[in-house]
Amino acid sequence: MSQARQHLAEQLAEAVAEGLRADLKHQERALLVVSGGATPIPFFQALAAMPLAWERVDITLADERWVAEQNSESNAQRVREHLLQGAAARAKFVPLTAATETPEEGAAEVGRRLETLNWPASVVVLGMGNDGHTASLFPDSRELALALTTAESVVAVRSPSQPLPRMTLSADRLHQARRHFVHITGEEKRAVLANALQGDDARQFPIRAFFACPLATYWAP
Ligand SMILES: O=C(O)C(O)[C@@H](O)[C@H](O)[C@H](O)COP(=O)(O)O
């Protein structure tokens, strides 16, 4: 891990903790939405070390791969291993999977579970892929248009570029949050973001759906 990436993770953790604290001053519980993939791991570790009323924090994911938590592809496993540690283990984690074979069959159950949380989220931390996807809003997915427009909280999605089916929070649900961050590293993602910033069509680069939120960009080489 480069020093710049480590600093980035720590600075993002400070900003996220600050957002949660601000909301916890006037509400009983605050909701944090985090992303999966590899980039967030040092951020999870830095955030877990932040002084916070963790017992009043709910955490869920922007998206999940449809696998058991024991599978190394599971985003929930990353959250449990790297974020729900120490004092942060007192937070309540709400996963996006169900015991059904497919995400299409599990969507209603996951949706009901999410309705027990305190929306809108205080903070959403997005990631971004090299195709401009964020959460599981993939440019080549048949469910993209639905996920970008539905008022439902979650959508089951499949993408020809992805080996596993997914569950994603809808753009609308992510949008409603009070604070939005995107956490990305490396030259390739910088170029993708620069490209995405040139236009507006979210079907081409789904990250565009969040530019106007506004979206605070945390990037390091
Ligand atoms: O489950 C996932 O894969 C995600 O939540 C996804 O949207 C991720 O944020 C990007 O694909 C970037 O992933 P990396 O951080 O691994 O590059």
Side-chain angles (χ1 to χ4, degrees):
M1 168 78 43
S2 74
Q3 226 186 21
R5 290 186 184 193
Q6 185 58 35
H7 283 160
L8 180 76
E10 286 163 14
Q11 286 166 16
L12 177 59
E14 274 169 28
V16 168
E18 202 42 57
L20 292 169
R21 275 187 217 115
D23 286 357
L24 286 169
K25 275 189 196 143
H26 53 80
Q27 61 192 56
E28 191 40 44
R29 302 195 67 80
L31 174 61
L32 166 66
V33 177
V34 294
S35 286
T39 310
I41 291 178
F43 156 67
F44 287 167
Q45 293 166 344
L47 185 61
M50 291 284 149
L52 204 57
W54 283 107
E55 64 286 353
R56 292 164 58 207
V57 175
D58 297 321
I59 300 174
T60 193
L61 283 156
D63 69 321
E64 180 60 287
R65 299 108 186 255
W66 204 253
V67 289
E69 269 192 31
Q70 297 71 27
N71 188 306
S72 60
E73 288 296 308
S74 162
N75 286 335
Q77 185 189 104
R78 294 178 169 94
V79 169
R80 289 194 200 279
E81 263 181 34
H82 302 285
L83 177 53
L84 303 179
Q85 295 293 328
R90 295 202 296 265
K92 177 177 156 195
F93 175 60
V94 176
L96 297 186
T97 47
T100 58
E101 200 177 316
T102 66
E104 289 79 7
E105 294 165 291
E109 182 187 330
V110 174
R112 280 193 298 275
R113 196 186 302 150
L114 289 176
E115 289 320 314
T116 65
L117 296 173
N118 196 14
W119 300 92
S122 289
V123 181
V124 165
V125 184
L126 296 169
M128 186 188 74
N130 289 333
D131 57 357
H133 82 260
T134 189
S136 283
L137 306 172
F138 290 97
D140 62 1
S141 150
R142 261 198 298 170
E143 295 79 19
L144 178 65
L146 174 66
L148 287 173
T149 53
T150 184
E152 298 288 333
S153 56
V154 284
V155 180
V157 305
R158 290 168 189 263
S159 150
S161 58
Q162 298 301 315
L164 293 164
R166 312 266 192 131
M167 187 69 84
T168 190
L169 292 195
S170 63
D172 179 63
R173 198 49 73 112
L174 290 165
H175 242 245
Q176 287 172 20
R178 296 203 181 87
R179 301 166 191 83
H180 298 80
F181 299 88
V182 62
H183 181 197
I184 48 174
T185 54
E187 289 306 326
E188 205 169 343
K189 287 190 183 178
R190 178 166 86 163
V192 173
L193 185 66
N195 225 342
L197 284 163
Q198 304 297 316
D200 314 302
D201 187 356
R203 287 166 307 178
Q204 199 187 351
F205 291 102
I207 188 69
R208 284 176 173 162
F210 303 94
F211 285 167
C213 280
L215 182 61
T217 303
Y218 277 67
W219 175 85

